[in-house]
Amino acid sequence: MTDFLIKSTLSLVVLLGVYHLLLEKEKMHRFNRFYLLFALVFSMVIPFITIEVVQEIAQPAVTPGNIQMLPATTVVVDETNYFAIALWSLYGFVTVVLGFRFMCNVMQISKKMKSTTAIAYQNAQLVLVPEKTLPHTFLNTIFINESEYNNRQVEAELYTHELTHVTQKHTLDILFIEVLKTVFWFNPIFIFYKKAIQLNHEFLADEKVVHSYNNVPFYQSLLLSKANANPTFYLTSNLNYLITKKRLLMMTKTTSNSKSIAKKIILIPVLSGLFFLFCFKTIAQVKNIAQVTTKTKLIATNDSKKDEYYAGVRVVIHDLVKNKEIDTKYEDLSEEYKKRALFYVPTAREKKSPTTQELENFKDPKKYAIWIDDVHQTNKSLNNFKPSEIAFFQGSSVYKNARSKKFPQPYQYNFYTHNYFDKNLKNSHKKFSGEKLEVTICKDKNTRPIRTK
């Protein structure tokens, strides 16, 4: 959710900034309307698009038998996050209140539309209201003061202005942005988008009036005379919305085709940049031949060697496929579980020291959790060792669901000194060192790493 909010908000801010800098002052109102609506949709959708670019990286080799030697898997118990619950409750409450307000306004307008007999007028309908108000539009309905209509005090320019809102369906734009404002009420950027969209609607309506009557001074004077009228519903298109210098100047402005095309072309690198910034994700793919070799050796392990290696060991199997648990000695396991659990016998370990560069890489605390002689140490502890002082090292990657707050790193590695290796690891391939091991058979029929005790 956080990632969505950050990406969508950044996109909305950038695209709105581009609009104000390049497009708003130009007489290309139809394109600008499309651009503003596209910016909203684009910013809402782009966080959900991910294009993965795989990049292979080299990692230190993982040697056979590494899973057994790593510390036992940590079980993390999720704690109830009361702060998050409170925030979501507040969000839900405010959203419901605003949604109720939105529906009440729609119902109020609908009730007003049905309160009097509608008069057919070209592609719209006129609803006469008793209160003193300027003409305003909702969907295909134009609301006009009854007294002014009967006395023919409504200028033809005003009818044309409101008809433009109807024929170009400006109400749908307003309803769309209002829904977004209701859902994302905590994000003020949508307020600025609504203002830009409504002003663009007025530019479009003004342009139609000027083109139809070709009397700019009279129309400007008419707008200024209506500027202090009472406000109407915030969901309607209002004649006196932002009677500012922007609207008055726009009526006399012209934009050349070459300038219009140039500014549209500039949008291409902006949109492309946002797309590449938010949608492309580089995935590091570890190419580790040693891991493939290990898997081959595990599957090919001789049954007689397994029986000898695990003789007398207590085995606990959590079978998530058959939803059962088995707790018995290795000798008493069925042949089915001996194969499904993928028991293996590690090969004899040969001393191998890391290179200077490998040892330096392991000092990264964000990437590697470090154990030295089976005792967890800080990564800085490796500064106390030369590569030649480490007789053997091994490790594995850690699945996301197996990481904990204490060990969030994606990799775990064990380092062994010469003395420890000679006493504990040199002959460890001959007999299982523990008295008990646990195996989980997952629903995808893969076996999770063995946990030893």
Side-chain angles (χ1 to χ4, degrees):
M1 185 63 177
T2 303
D3 183 66
F4 167 79
L5 293 176
I6 292 175
K7 288 182 178 180
S8 62
T9 301
L10 286 175
S11 178
L12 287 168
V13 170
V14 170
L15 295 179
L16 185 62
V18 170
Y19 172 77
H20 285 302
L21 289 174
L22 298 179
L23 305 178
E24 184 186 44
K25 298 177 182 179
E26 302 303 328
K27 204 163 187 176
M28 37 196 286
H29 309 313
R30 288 175 178 79
F31 176 81
N32 287 352
R33 181 190 181 192
F34 166 79
Y35 173 85
L36 288 170
L37 295 176
F38 173 80
L40 290 170
V41 176
F42 178 83
S43 300
M44 293 296 103
V45 172
I46 196 171
F48 298 103
I49 302 175
T50 301
I51 301 175
E52 296 183 352
V53 179
V54 179
Q55 179 180 0
E56 289 190 350
I57 59 173
Q59 287 292 335
V62 179
T63 57
N66 57 354
I67 299 176
Q68 179 180 335
M69 298 307 299
L70 290 177
T73 302
T74 304
V75 179
V76 180
V77 180
D78 293 332
E79 298 180 356
T80 303
N81 191 335
Y82 293 102
F83 180 72
I85 293 175
L87 284 180
W88 278 107
S89 299
L90 175 63
Y91 168 79
F93 174 76
V94 176
T95 303
V96 169
V97 171
L98 293 177
F100 180 75
R101 171 177 173 264
F102 175 75
M103 292 305 300
C104 286
N105 277 277
V106 173
M107 292 175 63
Q108 187 176 358
I109 296 174
S110 299
K111 183 178 179 181
K112 193 174 181 181
M113 292 166 60
K114 298 175 183 179
S115 62
T116 59
T117 303
I119 301 173
Y121 182 79
Q122 296 188 24
N123 296 325
Q125 62 178 4
L126 303 180
V127 171
L128 307 182
V129 295
E131 60 267 21
K132 190 72 173 178
T133 183
L134 277 178
H136 53 280
T137 303
F138 183 80
L139 295 177
N140 67 331
T141 302
I142 302 174
F143 297 91
I144 296 180
N145 176 258
E146 183 177 13
S147 176
E148 291 181 351
Y149 174 80
N150 292 330
N151 295 326
R152 300 193 177 188
Q153 295 176 342
V154 181
E155 292 81 357
E157 287 83 354
L158 301 188
Y159 282 115
T160 302
H161 183 102
E162 297 306 319
L163 275 173
T164 304
H165 290 312
V166 172
T167 56
Q168 296 185 6
K169 303 183 185 304
H170 292 168
T171 303
L172 298 181
D173 299 0
I174 296 176
L175 291 176
F176 176 57
I177 189 65
E178 280 297 328
V179 170
L180 292 177
K181 281 179 60 184
T182 301
V183 177
F184 302 101
W185 52 265
F186 51 85
N187 194 339
I189 189 65
F190 292 103
I191 298 175
F192 298 102
Y193 265 91
K194 183 182 178 182
K195 289 182 177 180
I197 288 173
Q198 286 184 295
L199 181 58
N200 176 257
H201 288 171
E202 298 310 310
F203 286 159
L204 286 165
D206 293 340
E207 182 181 50
K208 179 64 175 178
V209 173
V210 171
H211 182 267
S212 300
Y213 297 94
N214 196 25
N215 193 347
V216 174
F218 174 79
Y219 184 56
Q220 290 177 329
S221 177
L222 177 62
L223 291 180
L224 290 174
S225 68
K226 305 291 186 181
N228 295 323
N230 294 329
T232 53
F233 296 100
Y234 75 94
L235 293 179
T236 60
S237 297
N238 307 322
L239 176 74
N240 65 335
Y241 180 79
L242 287 181
I243 305 295
T244 63
K245 188 177 180 181
K246 287 183 180 181
R247 285 183 66 184
L248 300 177
L249 290 176
M250 187 60 70
M251 295 178 195
T252 58
K253 187 167 185 170
T254 58
T255 298
S256 64
N257 289 334
S258 58
K259 187 176 183 181
S260 174
I261 294 173
K263 293 204 170 185
K264 292 175 183 178
I265 293 176
I266 294 176
L267 299 177
I268 297 176
V270 174
L271 294 173
S272 301
L274 289 173
F275 186 80
F276 280 100
L277 178 63
F278 294 139
C279 296
F280 280 81
K281 181 179 180 182
T282 302
I283 303 297
Q285 179 174 303
V286 179
K287 188 177 182 181
N288 197 326
I289 299 175
Q291 286 183 333
V292 178
T293 305
T294 299
K295 184 175 181 181
T296 304
K297 289 183 178 179
L298 300 187
I299 296 175
T301 302
N302 187 284
D303 288 342
S304 61
K305 290 184 178 181
K306 287 196 294 185
D307 294 341
E308 181 180 352
Y309 182 76
Y310 289 105
V313 176
R314 178 187 167 198
V315 179
V316 178
I317 296 180
H318 307 282
D319 191 341
L320 302 183
V321 178
K322 295 185 177 181
N323 195 25
K324 62 188 294 187
E325 184 172 307
I326 298 173
D327 188 346
T328 185
K329 287 187 177 181
Y330 175 82
E331 292 87 344
D332 297 330
L333 281 175
S334 65
E335 291 300 322
E336 176 192 1
Y337 276 107
K338 285 183 180 180
K339 293 179 180 179
R340 289 180 65 198
L342 296 179
F343 293 100
Y344 67 92
V345 177
T347 58
R349 294 178 174 86
E350 297 179 0
K351 289 186 176 183
K352 177 185 176 181
S353 301
T355 65
T356 302
Q357 184 59 50
E358 286 176 333
L359 192 62
E360 189 65 30
N361 292 339
F362 286 126
K363 295 177 183 179
D364 184 355
K366 295 182 180 180
K367 199 170 185 180
Y368 300 98
I370 298 300
W371 282 261
I372 300 177
D373 290 344
D374 284 339
V375 178
H376 179 253
Q377 302 282 353
T378 63
N379 297 69
K380 293 181 179 179
S381 300
L382 294 176
N383 290 326
N384 300 326
F385 296 88
K386 297 178 181 179
S388 59
E389 294 175 332
I390 297 175
F392 186 76
F393 69 103
Q394 62 182 6
S396 68
S397 59
V398 183
Y399 292 107
K400 286 186 178 180
N401 60 356
R403 300 173 195 173
S404 65
K405 292 182 180 179
K406 185 176 181 181
F407 301 113
Q409 297 91 341
Y411 299 97
Q412 294 181 342
Y413 269 81
N414 248 318
F415 298 85
Y416 301 99
T417 59
H418 288 276
N419 288 337
Y420 191 93
F421 181 88
D422 293 339
K423 291 179 181 179
N424 300 281
L425 301 183
K426 189 174 183 179
N427 298 315
S428 62
H429 63 287
K430 296 180 180 180
K431 185 72 177 70
F432 184 74
S433 59
E435 297 179 356
K436 172 187 173 182
L437 64 83
E438 294 184 25
V439 181
T440 300
I441 300 178
C442 303
K443 290 185 179 180
D444 59 1
K445 297 185 180 180
N446 290 326
T447 303
R448 289 182 180 175
I450 296 174
R451 297 185 291 174
T452 65
K453 291 186 180 179

